[in-house]
Every structure is written in C-alpha cells, then in structure tokens.
Amino acid sequence: MDLEKQPEPEKQPQPQRSAAPAETAPAAPAFADPQGSLRASDADRDRIADILGEALAEGRLDAEEHSDRIDAVYRAKTVGELEPIVRDLPAARTSRPAPDPAYAYGPDDRDGPPENLVAVFSSTTRKGRWRVSRRTNAFALFGNIEIDLTEAIFAQRLTTINATSIFGNVEVRVPENISLRGNGSGVFGNFEVVTLEGVDPQAPVVVINGYSVFGNVEARPKRGKWITDLQDRMRKHLGH
C-alpha cells in the first residue's frame, strides 16, 4: 500500500540578525580648523611681500610677475591663499643674521615720494653725487633724459625707474658692479636693457620698466665706473 505523502512542513523564515552598528569616527572638535582656512593677518601678508621683494632683487621674478603677486597678496583673505603665491620661491631668511652690508646705503626713503624727470621738447640730466629715490619716473616727449647712477648714493638696495619715451630718448647709465634688470617694450621704437649681475649679493639692484613709442629707452653699464665702498673710504680717511 502506498504511503500517503506527508506535506513537507513549511519553512519558517529565519529571523534576520541585525547588523552590528558601524563604528563611527569621533567628531573633530569644532575649533580644529585647517591651517589654510585661518584668516591672514597684516604680518602674514608682510611676510609674503618680503619674500617676493627678495625674489625680485635676486632675479627670480621679473617686475611684472612681482607686481601681479603683490596684488594677490593684498587681496588674500586666508593663510591658505597666501602660501601658494610663494610656493616656488625660497623661504624668507628672517631667522638668519643679516650680513654686514658691503655698501653704505644712505637713509631709507621707503615712504618718500618718487622723483619725476620730465623732458618735453627739452633735455634733462641727472648725474653726479646724488641720492637715488626708491622710485624714479622719467617721461620724454620729443626730448632727452639722461640718468647717470655711476656716482649716486643708493638709499636702498632695490631702485625702480619707470621710463616712458614718445618720440624721445631716455638713457640710464649704471656702474659695473651692481645688478641691472629690465622689463618693457617698444612700438616702432627701442627698449634695450643690458642685463647685469653684481658679484656682491648686497650690491644695489636697478630695475628699468617702461616702453617707447617712436623713441628709445636704453640702460647699460658705464664701462670703467664702479660704486665705491663708502665704508672702506671712510676707514681710510680716518686712518683705520
């Protein structure tokens, strides 16, 4: 006799085990802001500006790059915006003792006004023993301007001359033992700066910026002319 097939018992659904709660990382304290989001202070901006000024003096930046980066420095709101501006430059040498200056600079005129030289259908000459301003603006219109720095006293290491020549001529002569750099252009004219690197790292640096339109802007060393070490001259004069 065939046995009747007993219905298989229905499989009861197994209760699902609840997953163990994932371990969560402890929340960072509210005051732990990343360094880059800190608001920049005036001292932070000045520190970056000093690095850019040193880079300009060493020839790592030209005048246009320096100007663009300085603008970015004083627009920056946070430390994170400041640091990329000088990421490709050496850090400021604030912790190193300053070397004895090889040149006896006069009093610094950081806040002094620029010197303006203008020649309109005329001629202007600046030469001899004179103290060079931090900035000099030279404008020649159907005229001629001559700037001779071979006997000048530099009140600072970096000197900038902004030269504009329209149907005119601006000539700058420097001694052979300083650094000379330039940035400019000519439109149907000539802009020529003979680059010069001083052997002494503390020697003055002269930067010529500008342009000429049917004119000439020229800067070059004057052969045989050297800035005298004024400290040595004074020691000899006093018999030391």
PDB file of all heavy atoms in Angstrom, residues 14-54:
ATOM      1  N   GLN A  14      13.699  32.554   8.776  1.00  0.00           N
ATOM      2  CA  GLN A  14      14.613  32.733   9.897  1.00  0.00           C
ATOM      3  C   GLN A  14      14.704  34.205  10.258  1.00  0.00           C
ATOM      4  O   GLN A  14      14.783  35.061   9.390  1.00  0.00           O
ATOM      5  CB  GLN A  14      16.019  32.220   9.523  1.00  0.00           C
ATOM      6  CG  GLN A  14      16.054  30.738   9.216  1.00  0.00           C
ATOM      7  CD  GLN A  14      15.716  29.912  10.450  1.00  0.00           C
ATOM      8  OE1 GLN A  14      16.069  30.295  11.573  1.00  0.00           O
ATOM      9  NE2 GLN A  14      15.020  28.801  10.248  1.00  0.00           N
ATOM     10  N   PRO A  15      14.684  34.466  11.487  1.00  0.00           N
ATOM     11  CA  PRO A  15      14.819  35.883  11.887  1.00  0.00           C
ATOM     12  C   PRO A  15      16.187  36.407  11.510  1.00  0.00           C
ATOM     13  O   PRO A  15      17.191  35.740  11.701  1.00  0.00           O
ATOM     14  CB  PRO A  15      14.633  35.835  13.408  1.00  0.00           C
ATOM     15  CG  PRO A  15      14.961  34.433  13.803  1.00  0.00           C
ATOM     16  CD  PRO A  15      14.568  33.563  12.663  1.00  0.00           C
ATOM     17  N   GLN A  16      16.188  37.570  10.888  1.00  0.00           N
ATOM     18  CA  GLN A  16      17.465  38.170  10.460  1.00  0.00           C
ATOM     19  C   GLN A  16      18.125  38.841  11.640  1.00  0.00           C
ATOM     20  O   GLN A  16      17.485  39.500  12.448  1.00  0.00           O
ATOM     21  CB  GLN A  16      17.214  39.213   9.357  1.00  0.00           C
ATOM     22  CG  GLN A  16      16.655  38.602   8.088  1.00  0.00           C
ATOM     23  CD  GLN A  16      16.456  39.650   7.028  1.00  0.00           C
ATOM     24  OE1 GLN A  16      16.617  40.824   7.305  1.00  0.00           O
ATOM     25  NE2 GLN A  16      16.114  39.206   5.830  1.00  0.00           N
ATOM     26  N   ARG A  17      19.450  38.577  11.660  1.00  0.00           N
ATOM     27  CA  ARG A  17      20.225  39.201  12.724  1.00  0.00           C
ATOM     28  C   ARG A  17      20.530  40.659  12.355  1.00  0.00           C
ATOM     29  O   ARG A  17      20.933  40.941  11.248  1.00  0.00           O
ATOM     30  CB  ARG A  17      21.546  38.449  12.942  1.00  0.00           C
ATOM     31  CG  ARG A  17      21.332  37.023  13.409  1.00  0.00           C
ATOM     32  CD  ARG A  17      22.679  36.363  13.626  1.00  0.00           C
ATOM     33  NE  ARG A  17      22.507  34.995  14.063  1.00  0.00           N
ATOM     34  CZ  ARG A  17      23.527  34.172  14.304  1.00  0.00           C
ATOM     35  NH1 ARG A  17      24.767  34.601  14.113  1.00  0.00           N
ATOM     36  NH2 ARG A  17      23.301  32.949  14.719  1.00  0.00           N
ATOM     37  N   SER A  18      20.317  41.467  13.257  1.00  0.00           N
ATOM     38  CA  SER A  18      20.594  42.881  12.991  1.00  0.00           C
ATOM     39  C   SER A  18      22.090  43.106  12.930  1.00  0.00           C
ATOM     40  O   SER A  18      22.848  42.543  13.729  1.00  0.00           O
ATOM     41  CB  SER A  18      19.988  43.768  14.090  1.00  0.00           C
ATOM     42  OG  SER A  18      20.497  43.378  15.350  1.00  0.00           O
ATOM     43  N   ALA A  19      22.493  43.866  11.912  1.00  0.00           N
ATOM     44  CA  ALA A  19      23.932  44.120  11.742  1.00  0.00           C
ATOM     45  C   ALA A  19      24.433  44.977  12.888  1.00  0.00           C
ATOM     46  O   ALA A  19      23.738  45.849  13.421  1.00  0.00           O
ATOM     47  CB  ALA A  19      24.175  44.838  10.404  1.00  0.00           C
ATOM     48  N   ALA A  20      25.663  44.658  13.228  1.00  0.00           N
ATOM     49  CA  ALA A  20      26.275  45.423  14.316  1.00  0.00           C
ATOM     50  C   ALA A  20      26.479  46.859  13.862  1.00  0.00           C
ATOM     51  O   ALA A  20      26.867  47.112  12.725  1.00  0.00           O
ATOM     52  CB  ALA A  20      27.622  44.808  14.699  1.00  0.00           C
ATOM     53  N   PRO A  21      26.172  47.797  14.702  1.00  0.00           N
ATOM     54  CA  PRO A  21      26.341  49.203  14.298  1.00  0.00           C
ATOM     55  C   PRO A  21      27.784  49.507  13.967  1.00  0.00           C
ATOM     56  O   PRO A  21      28.696  49.069  14.657  1.00  0.00           O
ATOM     57  CB  PRO A  21      25.881  49.977  15.539  1.00  0.00           C
ATOM     58  CG  PRO A  21      25.993  49.009  16.678  1.00  0.00           C
ATOM     59  CD  PRO A  21      25.752  47.658  16.112  1.00  0.00           C
ATOM     60  N   ALA A  22      27.961  50.188  12.826  1.00  0.00           N
ATOM     61  CA  ALA A  22      29.330  50.515  12.402  1.00  0.00           C
ATOM     62  C   ALA A  22      29.928  51.518  13.364  1.00  0.00           C
ATOM     63  O   ALA A  22      29.255  52.422  13.861  1.00  0.00           O
ATOM     64  CB  ALA A  22      29.307  51.100  10.983  1.00  0.00           C
ATOM     65  N   GLU A  23      31.214  51.292  13.585  1.00  0.00           N
ATOM     66  CA  GLU A  23      31.913  52.211  14.470  1.00  0.00           C
ATOM     67  C   GLU A  23      32.129  53.536  13.743  1.00  0.00           C
ATOM     68  O   GLU A  23      32.586  53.566  12.617  1.00  0.00           O
ATOM     69  CB  GLU A  23      33.257  51.630  14.888  1.00  0.00           C
ATOM     70  CG  GLU A  23      33.106  50.367  15.726  1.00  0.00           C
ATOM     71  CD  GLU A  23      34.465  49.869  16.176  1.00  0.00           C
ATOM     72  OE1 GLU A  23      35.470  50.526  15.830  1.00  0.00           O
ATOM     73  OE2 GLU A  23      34.530  48.849  16.869  1.00  0.00           O
ATOM     74  N   THR A  24      31.777  54.566  14.358  1.00  0.00           N
ATOM     75  CA  THR A  24      31.923  55.893  13.757  1.00  0.00           C
ATOM     76  C   THR A  24      33.112  56.593  14.364  1.00  0.00           C
ATOM     77  O   THR A  24      33.395  56.450  15.563  1.00  0.00           O
ATOM     78  CB  THR A  24      30.659  56.727  13.990  1.00  0.00           C
ATOM     79  OG1 THR A  24      30.414  56.813  15.389  1.00  0.00           O
ATOM     80  CG2 THR A  24      29.456  56.095  13.297  1.00  0.00           C
ATOM     81  N   ALA A  25      33.802  57.329  13.472  1.00  0.00           N
ATOM     82  CA  ALA A  25      34.968  58.066  13.960  1.00  0.00           C
ATOM     83  C   ALA A  25      34.505  59.211  14.835  1.00  0.00           C
ATOM     84  O   ALA A  25      33.460  59.809  14.586  1.00  0.00           O
ATOM     85  CB  ALA A  25      35.774  58.623  12.776  1.00  0.00           C
ATOM     86  N   PRO A  26      35.256  59.505  15.857  1.00  0.00           N
ATOM     87  CA  PRO A  26      34.872  60.616  16.724  1.00  0.00           C
ATOM     88  C   PRO A  26      34.878  61.931  15.952  1.00  0.00           C
ATOM     89  O   PRO A  26      35.738  62.178  15.122  1.00  0.00           O
ATOM     90  CB  PRO A  26      35.961  60.611  17.813  1.00  0.00           C
ATOM     91  CG  PRO A  26      37.108  59.866  17.199  1.00  0.00           C
ATOM     92  CD  PRO A  26      36.502  58.865  16.281  1.00  0.00           C
ATOM     93  N   ALA A  27      33.906  62.727  16.211  1.00  0.00           N
ATOM     94  CA  ALA A  27      33.788  64.004  15.507  1.00  0.00           C
ATOM     95  C   ALA A  27      34.927  64.921  15.903  1.00  0.00           C
ATOM     96  O   ALA A  27      35.347  64.960  17.058  1.00  0.00           O
ATOM     97  CB  ALA A  27      32.442  64.658  15.829  1.00  0.00           C
ATOM     98  N   ALA A  28      35.429  65.629  14.885  1.00  0.00           N
ATOM     99  CA  ALA A  28      36.519  66.566  15.174  1.00  0.00           C
ATOM    100  C   ALA A  28      35.966  67.738  15.963  1.00  0.00           C
ATOM    101  O   ALA A  28      34.833  68.166  15.756  1.00  0.00           O
ATOM    102  CB  ALA A  28      37.126  67.071  13.868  1.00  0.00           C
ATOM    103  N   PRO A  29      36.737  68.218  16.883  1.00  0.00           N
ATOM    104  CA  PRO A  29      36.258  69.365  17.650  1.00  0.00           C
ATOM    105  C   PRO A  29      36.007  70.562  16.748  1.00  0.00           C
ATOM    106  O   PRO A  29      36.648  70.748  15.732  1.00  0.00           O
ATOM    107  CB  PRO A  29      37.415  69.635  18.626  1.00  0.00           C
ATOM    108  CG  PRO A  29      38.595  68.966  18.035  1.00  0.00           C
ATOM    109  CD  PRO A  29      38.081  67.800  17.285  1.00  0.00           C
ATOM    110  N   ALA A  30      35.073  71.379  17.139  1.00  0.00           N
ATOM    111  CA  ALA A  30      34.654  72.487  16.284  1.00  0.00           C
ATOM    112  C   ALA A  30      35.759  73.491  16.048  1.00  0.00           C
ATOM    113  O   ALA A  30      35.770  74.188  15.044  1.00  0.00           O
ATOM    114  CB  ALA A  30      33.443  73.174  16.902  1.00  0.00           C
ATOM    115  N   PHE A  31      36.727  73.576  16.971  1.00  0.00           N
ATOM    116  CA  PHE A  31      37.757  74.589  16.839  1.00  0.00           C
ATOM    117  C   PHE A  31      38.947  74.144  16.015  1.00  0.00           C
ATOM    118  O   PHE A  31      39.885  74.899  15.833  1.00  0.00           O
ATOM    119  CB  PHE A  31      38.258  75.031  18.227  1.00  0.00           C
ATOM    120  CG  PHE A  31      38.754  73.905  19.084  1.00  0.00           C
ATOM    121  CD1 PHE A  31      40.028  73.397  18.907  1.00  0.00           C
ATOM    122  CD2 PHE A  31      37.945  73.346  20.056  1.00  0.00           C
ATOM    123  CE1 PHE A  31      40.485  72.355  19.683  1.00  0.00           C
ATOM    124  CE2 PHE A  31      38.412  72.301  20.836  1.00  0.00           C
ATOM    125  CZ  PHE A  31      39.677  71.791  20.662  1.00  0.00           C
ATOM    126  N   ALA A  32      38.956  72.892  15.503  1.00  0.00           N
ATOM    127  CA  ALA A  32      40.113  72.363  14.770  1.00  0.00           C
ATOM    128  C   ALA A  32      40.004  72.720  13.297  1.00  0.00           C
ATOM    129  O   ALA A  32      39.770  71.881  12.451  1.00  0.00           O
ATOM    130  CB  ALA A  32      40.219  70.852  14.948  1.00  0.00           C
ATOM    131  N   ASP A  33      40.139  73.983  12.956  1.00  0.00           N
ATOM    132  CA  ASP A  33      40.125  74.421  11.563  1.00  0.00           C
ATOM    133  C   ASP A  33      41.442  74.069  10.896  1.00  0.00           C
ATOM    134  O   ASP A  33      42.495  74.135  11.517  1.00  0.00           O
ATOM    135  CB  ASP A  33      39.928  75.937  11.473  1.00  0.00           C
ATOM    136  CG  ASP A  33      38.497  76.322  11.776  1.00  0.00           C
ATOM    137  OD1 ASP A  33      37.643  75.431  11.742  1.00  0.00           O
ATOM    138  OD2 ASP A  33      38.259  77.510  12.056  1.00  0.00           O
ATOM    139  N   PRO A  34      41.433  73.726   9.615  1.00  0.00           N
ATOM    140  CA  PRO A  34      42.701  73.529   8.897  1.00  0.00           C
ATOM    141  C   PRO A  34      43.497  74.811   8.897  1.00  0.00           C
ATOM    142  O   PRO A  34      42.957  75.902   8.911  1.00  0.00           O
ATOM    143  CB  PRO A  34      42.244  73.152   7.473  1.00  0.00           C
ATOM    144  CG  PRO A  34      40.824  72.740   7.617  1.00  0.00           C
ATOM    145  CD  PRO A  34      40.268  73.486   8.782  1.00  0.00           C
ATOM    146  N   GLN A  35      44.813  74.663   8.858  1.00  0.00           N
ATOM    147  CA  GLN A  35      45.679  75.839   8.889  1.00  0.00           C
ATOM    148  C   GLN A  35      45.388  76.794   7.748  1.00  0.00           C
ATOM    149  O   GLN A  35      45.413  78.009   7.918  1.00  0.00           O
ATOM    150  CB  GLN A  35      47.141  75.385   8.814  1.00  0.00           C
ATOM    151  CG  GLN A  35      48.162  76.510   8.800  1.00  0.00           C
ATOM    152  CD  GLN A  35      48.273  77.201  10.129  1.00  0.00           C
ATOM    153  OE1 GLN A  35      47.850  76.653  11.129  1.00  0.00           O
ATOM    154  NE2 GLN A  35      48.814  78.411  10.142  1.00  0.00           N
ATOM    155  N   GLY A  36      45.063  76.254   6.585  1.00  0.00           N
ATOM    156  CA  GLY A  36      44.869  77.111   5.428  1.00  0.00           C
ATOM    157  C   GLY A  36      43.650  78.001   5.504  1.00  0.00           C
ATOM    158  O   GLY A  36      43.528  78.958   4.760  1.00  0.00           O
ATOM    159  N   SER A  37      42.691  77.679   6.401  1.00  0.00           N
ATOM    160  CA  SER A  37      41.482  78.490   6.477  1.00  0.00           C
ATOM    161  C   SER A  37      41.598  79.618   7.486  1.00  0.00           C
ATOM    162  O   SER A  37      40.643  80.381   7.653  1.00  0.00           O
ATOM    163  CB  SER A  37      40.285  77.602   6.843  1.00  0.00           C
ATOM    164  OG  SER A  37      40.450  77.072   8.148  1.00  0.00           O
ATOM    165  N   LEU A  38      42.723  79.720   8.158  1.00  0.00           N
ATOM    166  CA  LEU A  38      42.905  80.799   9.113  1.00  0.00           C
ATOM    167  C   LEU A  38      42.922  82.143   8.395  1.00  0.00           C
ATOM    168  O   LEU A  38      43.485  82.274   7.312  1.00  0.00           O
ATOM    169  CB  LEU A  38      44.213  80.615   9.888  1.00  0.00           C
ATOM    170  CG  LEU A  38      44.296  79.405  10.818  1.00  0.00           C
ATOM    171  CD1 LEU A  38      45.666  79.334  11.431  1.00  0.00           C
ATOM    172  CD2 LEU A  38      43.231  79.500  11.900  1.00  0.00           C
ATOM    173  N   ARG A  39      42.320  83.126   8.980  1.00  0.00           N
ATOM    174  CA  ARG A  39      42.337  84.461   8.405  1.00  0.00           C
ATOM    175  C   ARG A  39      43.754  85.023   8.436  1.00  0.00           C
ATOM    176  O   ARG A  39      44.480  84.897   9.413  1.00  0.00           O
ATOM    177  CB  ARG A  39      41.405  85.379   9.193  1.00  0.00           C
ATOM    178  CG  ARG A  39      39.962  84.931   9.196  1.00  0.00           C
ATOM    179  CD  ARG A  39      39.281  85.115   7.867  1.00  0.00           C
ATOM    180  NE  ARG A  39      39.107  86.523   7.523  1.00  0.00           N
ATOM    181  CZ  ARG A  39      38.427  86.943   6.463  1.00  0.00           C
ATOM    182  NH1 ARG A  39      37.865  86.068   5.648  1.00  0.00           N
ATOM    183  NH2 ARG A  39      38.301  88.235   6.215  1.00  0.00           N
ATOM    184  N   ALA A  40      44.156  85.624   7.340  1.00  0.00           N
ATOM    185  CA  ALA A  40      45.516  86.163   7.238  1.00  0.00           C
ATOM    186  C   ALA A  40      45.590  87.502   7.963  1.00  0.00           C
ATOM    187  O   ALA A  40      44.679  88.328   7.870  1.00  0.00           O
ATOM    188  CB  ALA A  40      45.903  86.330   5.776  1.00  0.00           C
ATOM    189  N   SER A  41      46.684  87.709   8.675  1.00  0.00           N
ATOM    190  CA  SER A  41      46.919  88.970   9.363  1.00  0.00           C
ATOM    191  C   SER A  41      47.797  89.875   8.504  1.00  0.00           C
ATOM    192  O   SER A  41      48.367  89.448   7.484  1.00  0.00           O
ATOM    193  CB  SER A  41      47.604  88.720  10.710  1.00  0.00           C
ATOM    194  OG  SER A  41      48.915  88.210  10.498  1.00  0.00           O
ATOM    195  N   ASP A  42      47.932  91.123   8.913  1.00  0.00           N
ATOM    196  CA  ASP A  42      48.822  92.039   8.203  1.00  0.00           C
ATOM    197  C   ASP A  42      50.260  91.531   8.246  1.00  0.00           C
ATOM    198  O   ASP A  42      51.012  91.667   7.270  1.00  0.00           O
ATOM    199  CB  ASP A  42      48.750  93.437   8.823  1.00  0.00           C
ATOM    200  CG  ASP A  42      47.414  94.127   8.529  1.00  0.00           C
ATOM    201  OD1 ASP A  42      46.740  93.707   7.571  1.00  0.00           O
ATOM    202  OD2 ASP A  42      47.065  95.067   9.260  1.00  0.00           O
ATOM    203  N   ALA A  43      50.646  90.919   9.385  1.00  0.00           N
ATOM    204  CA  ALA A  43      52.000  90.372   9.492  1.00  0.00           C
ATOM    205  C   ALA A  43      52.214  89.226   8.513  1.00  0.00           C
ATOM    206  O   ALA A  43      53.297  89.083   7.936  1.00  0.00           O
ATOM    207  CB  ALA A  43      52.260  89.899  10.930  1.00  0.00           C
ATOM    208  N   ASP A  44      51.180  88.395   8.299  1.00  0.00           N
ATOM    209  CA  ASP A  44      51.284  87.300   7.321  1.00  0.00           C
ATOM    210  C   ASP A  44      51.497  87.856   5.916  1.00  0.00           C
ATOM    211  O   ASP A  44      52.332  87.364   5.152  1.00  0.00           O
ATOM    212  CB  ASP A  44      50.017  86.439   7.337  1.00  0.00           C
ATOM    213  CG  ASP A  44      49.836  85.669   8.631  1.00  0.00           C
ATOM    214  OD1 ASP A  44      50.861  85.287   9.227  1.00  0.00           O
ATOM    215  OD2 ASP A  44      48.687  85.464   9.057  1.00  0.00           O
ATOM    216  N   ARG A  45      50.747  88.896   5.563  1.00  0.00           N
ATOM    217  CA  ARG A  45      50.888  89.486   4.228  1.00  0.00           C
ATOM    218  C   ARG A  45      52.255  90.145   4.063  1.00  0.00           C
ATOM    219  O   ARG A  45      52.885  90.051   3.004  1.00  0.00           O
ATOM    220  CB  ARG A  45      49.766  90.504   3.991  1.00  0.00           C
ATOM    221  CG  ARG A  45      48.369  89.888   3.974  1.00  0.00           C
ATOM    222  CD  ARG A  45      47.311  90.923   3.611  1.00  0.00           C
ATOM    223  NE  ARG A  45      45.981  90.351   3.674  1.00  0.00           N
ATOM    224  CZ  ARG A  45      45.212  90.360   4.757  1.00  0.00           C
ATOM    225  NH1 ARG A  45      45.653  90.939   5.866  1.00  0.00           N
ATOM    226  NH2 ARG A  45      44.010  89.821   4.738  1.00  0.00           N
ATOM    227  N   ASP A  46      52.720  90.820   5.118  1.00  0.00           N
ATOM    228  CA  ASP A  46      54.033  91.461   5.039  1.00  0.00           C
ATOM    229  C   ASP A  46      55.142  90.425   4.873  1.00  0.00           C
ATOM    230  O   ASP A  46      56.126  90.660   4.156  1.00  0.00           O
ATOM    231  CB  ASP A  46      54.289  92.298   6.291  1.00  0.00           C
ATOM    232  CG  ASP A  46      53.398  93.532   6.350  1.00  0.00           C
ATOM    233  OD1 ASP A  46      52.840  93.908   5.295  1.00  0.00           O
ATOM    234  OD2 ASP A  46      53.260  94.109   7.447  1.00  0.00           O
ATOM    235  N   ARG A  47      54.984  89.276   5.530  1.00  0.00           N
ATOM    236  CA  ARG A  47      55.996  88.215   5.406  1.00  0.00           C
ATOM    237  C   ARG A  47      56.089  87.728   3.967  1.00  0.00           C
ATOM    238  O   ARG A  47      57.188  87.559   3.416  1.00  0.00           O
ATOM    239  CB  ARG A  47      55.639  87.052   6.338  1.00  0.00           C
ATOM    240  CG  ARG A  47      56.560  85.843   6.215  1.00  0.00           C
ATOM    241  CD  ARG A  47      56.182  84.776   7.223  1.00  0.00           C
ATOM    242  NE  ARG A  47      54.829  84.292   7.016  1.00  0.00           N
ATOM    243  CZ  ARG A  47      54.508  83.318   6.168  1.00  0.00           C
ATOM    244  NH1 ARG A  47      55.458  82.742   5.439  1.00  0.00           N
ATOM    245  NH2 ARG A  47      53.269  82.911   6.047  1.00  0.00           N
ATOM    246  N   ILE A  48      54.941  87.510   3.326  1.00  0.00           N
ATOM    247  CA  ILE A  48      54.930  87.055   1.931  1.00  0.00           C
ATOM    248  C   ILE A  48      55.472  88.142   1.017  1.00  0.00           C
ATOM    249  O   ILE A  48      56.228  87.882   0.070  1.00  0.00           O
ATOM    250  CB  ILE A  48      53.500  86.655   1.515  1.00  0.00           C
ATOM    251  CG1 ILE A  48      52.975  85.518   2.401  1.00  0.00           C
ATOM    252  CG2 ILE A  48      53.478  86.234   0.057  1.00  0.00           C
ATOM    253  CD1 ILE A  48      53.784  84.254   2.334  1.00  0.00           C
ATOM    254  N   ALA A  49      55.119  89.403   1.296  1.00  0.00           N
ATOM    255  CA  ALA A  49      55.616  90.508   0.471  1.00  0.00           C
ATOM    256  C   ALA A  49      57.142  90.615   0.569  1.00  0.00           C
ATOM    257  O   ALA A  49      57.818  90.924  -0.420  1.00  0.00           O
ATOM    258  CB  ALA A  49      54.963  91.820   0.907  1.00  0.00           C
ATOM    259  N   ASP A  50      57.703  90.340   1.759  1.00  0.00           N
ATOM    260  CA  ASP A  50      59.162  90.368   1.912  1.00  0.00           C
ATOM    261  C   ASP A  50      59.825  89.285   1.064  1.00  0.00           C
ATOM    262  O   ASP A  50      60.887  89.500   0.462  1.00  0.00           O
ATOM    263  CB  ASP A  50      59.543  90.185   3.383  1.00  0.00           C
ATOM    264  CG  ASP A  50      59.217  91.409   4.220  1.00  0.00           C
ATOM    265  OD1 ASP A  50      59.007  92.483   3.628  1.00  0.00           O
ATOM    266  OD2 ASP A  50      59.163  91.287   5.460  1.00  0.00           O
ATOM    267  N   ILE A  51      59.215  88.104   1.025  1.00  0.00           N
ATOM    268  CA  ILE A  51      59.766  87.014   0.204  1.00  0.00           C
ATOM    269  C   ILE A  51      59.745  87.411  -1.271  1.00  0.00           C
ATOM    270  O   ILE A  51      60.707  87.180  -2.019  1.00  0.00           O
ATOM    271  CB  ILE A  51      58.966  85.716   0.424  1.00  0.00           C
ATOM    272  CG1 ILE A  51      59.117  85.237   1.873  1.00  0.00           C
ATOM    273  CG2 ILE A  51      59.434  84.616  -0.537  1.00  0.00           C
ATOM    274  CD1 ILE A  51      58.261  84.029   2.205  1.00  0.00           C
ATOM    275  N   LEU A  52      58.655  88.036  -1.712  1.00  0.00           N
ATOM    276  CA  LEU A  52      58.560  88.465  -3.114  1.00  0.00           C
ATOM    277  C   LEU A  52      59.577  89.550  -3.426  1.00  0.00           C
ATOM    278  O   LEU A  52      60.176  89.559  -4.501  1.00  0.00           O
ATOM    279  CB  LEU A  52      57.146  88.967  -3.405  1.00  0.00           C
ATOM    280  CG  LEU A  52      56.026  87.920  -3.343  1.00  0.00           C
ATOM    281  CD1 LEU A  52      54.673  88.575  -3.528  1.00  0.00           C
ATOM    282  CD2 LEU A  52      56.244  86.834  -4.384  1.00  0.00           C
ATOM    283  N   GLY A  53      59.785  90.484  -2.486  1.00  0.00           N
ATOM    284  CA  GLY A  53      60.776  91.528  -2.703  1.00  0.00           C
ATOM    285  C   GLY A  53      62.181  90.958  -2.831  1.00  0.00           C
ATOM    286  O   GLY A  53      62.967  91.401  -3.677  1.00  0.00           O
ATOM    287  N   GLU A  54      62.495  89.961  -2.009  1.00  0.00           N
ATOM    288  CA  GLU A  54      63.807  89.331  -2.101  1.00  0.00           C
ATOM    289  C   GLU A  54      63.954  88.579  -3.421  1.00  0.00           C
ATOM    290  O   GLU A  54      65.023  88.597  -4.048  1.00  0.00           O
ATOM    291  CB  GLU A  54      63.978  88.360  -0.921  1.00  0.00           C
ATOM    292  CG  GLU A  54      65.371  87.764  -0.790  1.00  0.00           C
ATOM    293  CD  GLU A  54      66.416  88.786  -0.386  1.00  0.00           C
ATOM    294  OE1 GLU A  54      66.036  89.848   0.153  1.00  0.00           O
ATOM    295  OE2 GLU A  54      67.606  88.523  -0.597  1.00  0.00           O
TER     296      GLU A  54
END
